[in-house]
């Protein structure tokens, strides 16, 4: 049970001083940091859980023996031990540089009751007892690491405990006999408890905490196309001020796991400690998402008449394109058109201090739909460039965003089967479509956002988002 209380603390710590992560294939895409303020939150949370669950702890039975004159050796058993009251007076949770965390409880008090029985030959006596234990101190050090699957690990590196004072009150049939050996029973009780406390801590770590950490998900499916890999790329890194945990943060296709064609850049976190937790999200995370959706063809758009706003003066019809391609309406009278847009490559975001930019290059092909068949014929092909500015923010559990045009679409004619094309007029039409249809559609998707790797039922407040070189930094407090 004891593990149930402090594995919550460890899980919070694994959300989260090193100045940076070196460049290379093992660079994280996502780094979670917990500060000393966050550690204090984890301490309060852990103490609350411990207080709630201490009444459920099952204390071990113990036994012993003593000599009574001519009766010689008499065996006794103490059993059905139950905690009725526990005072957690002092608690502390600290970072252990380059190792992990240390949790300690000191000057604590517990009141325990139970049953006793004494047996000699065919004679059995029994009764009840109360135990008051004061000045209990426990100190547990945990080493944090990662296993080959990228999940966090925690192991007990050191455990120490002591009991200052103990008082045993025995009642029942001939309880005065046991009270004759009051001091010996108290010492025996104290020695057994001191032995059992750290034994229980290590057993709970092995039985509860370690299996729990092995079940933590490292893959999260976003939709039918993509998922994100949240496995650790290294062990949590600790100094006296903060604990940083590096996650891969890479998007992958649901039906393939081919490696991205680029590595994550280094993340050099500033020395910020104002919030409980910080999340550094590399441009690598969002660019692997772009690469996956581009590979899946989800960035290709077909623009048809039904996509054109009803109030638009221009329709995708050969009669509407007389000013753009004068020969078009004569070659294909009264026929519908459609446009296909395809990025030449996956568009990548660039993070610079205070700015997020995107410079996609898009191929647009115009087709005429032949009324006598399902065929279509290529009319012309354009190359489009633009500069897009992105705004990225966060709510309680997701990264969300929106895009606005940084510059108008610029068109270049690459090929034409209808000779002259009025590129400037085509530019105006496409800019109108982008402003009224394409950007709103993209923003609707970005508004849904991407989930942060938070423990269940964890919410953030007092959010602060900053754009740094190669990464976003989100500072927050925990509810």
């Amino acid at each position: 049970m004891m593990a149930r209380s402090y594995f919550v603390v460890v899980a919070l710590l694994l959300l989260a001083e090193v100045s940076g992560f070196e460049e290379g294939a093992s660079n994280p895409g996502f780094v979670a940091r917990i500060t000393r303020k966050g550690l204090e939150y984890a301490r309060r949370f852990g103490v609350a859980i411990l207080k709630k669950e201490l009444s459920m702890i099952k204390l071990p039975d113990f036994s012993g023996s003593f000599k009574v004159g001519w009766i010689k050796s008499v065996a006794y058993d103490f059993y059905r031990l139950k905690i009725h009251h526990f005072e957690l007076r002092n608690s502390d949770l600290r970072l252990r540089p380059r190792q992990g965390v240390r949790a300690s409880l000191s000057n604590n008090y517990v009141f325990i009751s139970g049953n006793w029985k004494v047996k000699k030959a065919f004679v059995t006596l029994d009764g009840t007892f109360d135990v008051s234990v004061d000045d209990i101190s426990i100190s547990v050090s945990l080493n944090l690491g990662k296993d080959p699957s990228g999940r966090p690990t925690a192991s007990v590196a050191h455990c120490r405990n002591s009991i200052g004072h103990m008082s045993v009150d025995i009642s029942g049939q001939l309880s005065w006999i046991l009270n004759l050996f009051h001091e010996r029973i108290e010492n025996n009780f104290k020695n057994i408890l001191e032995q059992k406390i750290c034994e229980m801590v290590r057993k709970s770590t092995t039985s509860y905490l370690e299996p729990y950490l092995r079940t933590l998900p490292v893959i999260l499916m976003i939709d039918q196309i993509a998922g994100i890999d949240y496995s650790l790329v290294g062990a949590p890194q600790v100094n006296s001020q903060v604990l940083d945990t590096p996650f891969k943060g890479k998007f992958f296709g649901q039906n393939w796991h081919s490696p991205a064609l680029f590595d994550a850049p280094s993340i050099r976190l500033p020395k910020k400690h104002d919030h409980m937790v910080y999340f550094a999200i590399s441009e690598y995370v969002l660019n692997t998402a772009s690469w996956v959706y581009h590979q899946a063809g989800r960035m290709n758009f077909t623009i048809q008449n039904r996509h054109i706003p009803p109030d638009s003066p221009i329709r995708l019809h050969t009669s509407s394109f007389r000013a753009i391609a004068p020969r078009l309406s004569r070659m294909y009278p009264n026929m519908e058109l459609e446009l296909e847009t395809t990025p030449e490559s996956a568009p990548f975001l660039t993070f610079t201090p205070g700015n997020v930019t995107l410079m996609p290059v898009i191929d647009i092909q115009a087709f005429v739909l032949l009324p006598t068949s399902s065929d279509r014929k290529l009319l012309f092909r354009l190359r489009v460039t633009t500069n897009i500015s992105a705004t990225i923010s966060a709510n309680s559990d997701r990264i969300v965003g929106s895009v606005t045009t940084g510059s108008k679409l610029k068109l270049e004619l690459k090929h034409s089967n209808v000779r002259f094309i009025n590129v400037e007029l085509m530019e105006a039409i496409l800019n109108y479509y982008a402003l009224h249809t394409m950007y709103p559609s993209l923003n609707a998707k970005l508004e849904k956002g991407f989930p942060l790797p938070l423990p269940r039922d964890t919410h953030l407040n007092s959010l602060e988002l900053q754009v740094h070189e190669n990464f976003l930094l989100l500072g927050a407090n925990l509810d």
Side-chain angles (χ1 to χ4, degrees):
M1 192 288 307
M2 190 170 292
R4 295 174 63 186
S5 59
Y6 64 71
F7 79 51
V8 175
V9 174
V10 175
L12 287 170
L13 293 177
L14 291 172
L15 280 177
E17 153 166 90
V18 294
S19 61
F21 295 88
E22 297 302 321
E23 295 196 28
S26 62
N27 281 343
F30 180 93
V31 179
R33 163 174 288 183
I34 184 167
T35 66
R36 295 175 78 171
K37 288 184 178 180
L39 205 67
E40 173 60 19
Y41 174 92
R43 182 196 67 80
R44 294 197 307 268
F45 187 84
V47 167
I49 294 294
L50 187 58
K51 286 181 177 179
K52 181 179 179 181
E53 297 193 1
L54 269 172
S55 60
M56 299 167 59
I57 191 171
K58 184 177 180 181
L59 296 174
D61 301 341
F62 74 95
S63 58
S65 62
F66 54 87
K67 292 182 179 180
V68 183
W70 59 271
I71 300 178
K72 299 184 179 179
S73 181
V74 176
Y76 63 85
D77 293 293
F78 286 79
Y79 60 99
R80 293 179 184 168
L81 280 68
K82 184 178 180 180
I83 295 175
H84 288 277
H85 181 63
F86 200 111
E87 292 182 15
L88 295 175
R89 295 168 179 164
N90 298 308
S91 60
D92 189 32
L93 189 61
R94 295 189 180 185
L95 296 171
R96 299 168 59 234
R98 297 179 298 279
Q99 293 178 324
V101 295
R102 183 184 69 193
S104 60
L105 302 170
S106 61
N107 191 30
N108 300 291
Y109 169 83
V110 64
F111 177 77
I112 303 170
S113 68
N115 296 79
W116 65 267
K117 65 180 178 181
V118 174
K119 189 173 183 179
K120 178 63 179 179
F122 299 105
V123 178
T124 300
L125 304 174
D126 56 22
T128 60
F129 69 93
D130 297 322
V131 181
S132 296
V133 187
D134 206 358
D135 195 17
I136 305 170
S137 296
I138 306 170
S139 177
V140 180
S141 296
L142 295 176
N143 284 345
L144 304 179
K146 84 172 188 74
D147 67 14
S149 70
R151 289 178 171 84
T153 61
S155 58
V156 177
H158 181 264
C159 180
R160 180 180 60 191
N161 70 90
S162 63
I163 295 175
H165 174 71
M166 175 176 289
S167 174
V168 180
D169 182 21
I170 302 171
S171 59
Q173 299 172 331
L174 301 179
S175 58
W176 60 269
I177 297 178
L178 289 179
N179 282 320
L180 292 175
F181 303 91
H182 191 273
E183 184 176 349
R184 187 184 304 176
I185 292 173
E186 284 182 351
N187 289 335
N188 191 15
F189 207 150
K190 179 179 177 181
N191 290 337
I192 289 175
L193 282 180
E194 287 180 338
Q195 293 172 11
K196 290 292 183 181
I197 287 174
C198 281
E199 179 183 320
M200 290 168 62
V201 168
R202 295 182 187 277
K203 184 178 179 181
S204 295
T205 302
T206 302
S207 302
Y208 295 99
L209 179 57
E210 292 176 1
Y212 166 76
L213 294 177
R214 286 195 293 269
T215 65
L216 291 178
V218 294
I219 297 294
L220 177 64
M221 298 313 300
I222 302 298
D223 53 28
Q224 294 180 344
I225 302 299
I228 187 168
D229 185 341
Y230 279 135
S231 61
L232 301 184
V233 296
Q237 301 188 36
V238 191
N239 72 10
S240 60
Q241 297 294 322
V242 297
L243 182 150
D244 290 340
T245 302
F247 299 85
K248 183 175 289 185
K250 175 193 169 187
F251 276 76
F252 61 87
Q254 184 169 343
N255 297 321
W256 77 95
H257 283 257
S258 56
L261 302 179
F262 49 91
D263 294 332
S266 62
I267 293 178
R268 298 195 173 276
L269 294 175
K271 294 182 178 180
K272 281 182 164 288
H273 310 128
D274 295 336
H275 290 88
M276 293 181 183
V277 292
Y278 288 90
F279 301 96
I281 303 101
S282 169
E283 59 188 32
Y284 171 83
V285 177
L286 301 178
N287 288 340
T288 56
S290 177
W291 184 77
V292 167
Y293 284 101
H294 178 263
Q295 290 291 104
R298 289 306 178 99
M299 292 186 175
N300 302 337
F301 295 95
T302 298
I303 307 172
Q304 298 173 330
N305 259 320
R306 59 189 176 91
H307 300 129
I308 304 299
D311 59 346
S312 171
I314 301 294
R315 311 302 299 174
L316 287 178
H317 196 277
T318 55
S319 61
S320 294
F321 271 64
R322 286 194 183 101
I324 297 172
R327 297 184 73 243
L328 183 58
S329 61
R330 295 196 299 271
M331 295 172 65
Y332 304 101
N334 299 316
M335 295 185 191
E336 289 197 1
L337 306 175
E338 69 179 19
L339 304 178
E340 279 193 359
T341 65
T342 306
E344 286 190 356
S345 60
F348 288 164
L349 290 168
T350 300
F351 294 163
T352 55
N355 295 294
V356 180
T357 57
L358 180 68
M359 292 183 289
V361 179
I362 303 170
D363 184 78
I364 297 182
Q365 297 184 93
F367 296 89
V368 61
L369 304 180
L370 302 178
T372 57
S373 70
S374 59
D375 291 340
R376 60 182 187 171
K377 284 195 174 183
L378 176 66
L379 300 176
F380 54 85
R381 185 163 60 89
L382 302 168
R383 185 174 186 264
V384 183
T385 58
T386 189
N387 186 320
I388 298 173
S389 297
T391 300
I392 300 178
S393 58
N395 55 33
S396 62
D397 61 355
R398 302 177 80 84
I399 295 291
V400 297
S402 64
V403 295
T404 57
T405 177
S407 65
K408 291 184 177 181
L409 300 173
K410 297 295 182 182
L411 270 62
E412 176 188 356
L413 181 62
K414 302 297 291 183
H415 175 76
S416 175
N417 290 328
V418 292
R419 298 187 184 179
F420 175 76
I421 298 291
N422 189 333
V423 174
E424 291 183 357
L425 183 55
M426 190 68 181
E427 262 187 17
I429 294 171
L430 289 180
N431 276 296
Y432 182 91
Y433 171 77
L435 188 62
H436 292 85
T437 302
M438 189 168 65
Y439 288 147
S441 175
L442 182 57
N443 284 334
K445 294 181 183 295
L446 293 175
E447 188 178 355
K448 295 179 180 179
F450 305 110
L452 291 167
L454 300 173
R456 185 179 300 174
D457 298 325
T458 300
H459 300 284
L460 306 178
N461 60 49
S462 303
L463 277 67
E464 178 188 8
L465 186 69
Q466 296 179 340
V467 183
H468 293 262
E469 190 72 29
N470 299 329
F471 69 95
L472 299 171
L473 185 63
L474 172 66
N477 292 327
L478 295 165
D479 287 340

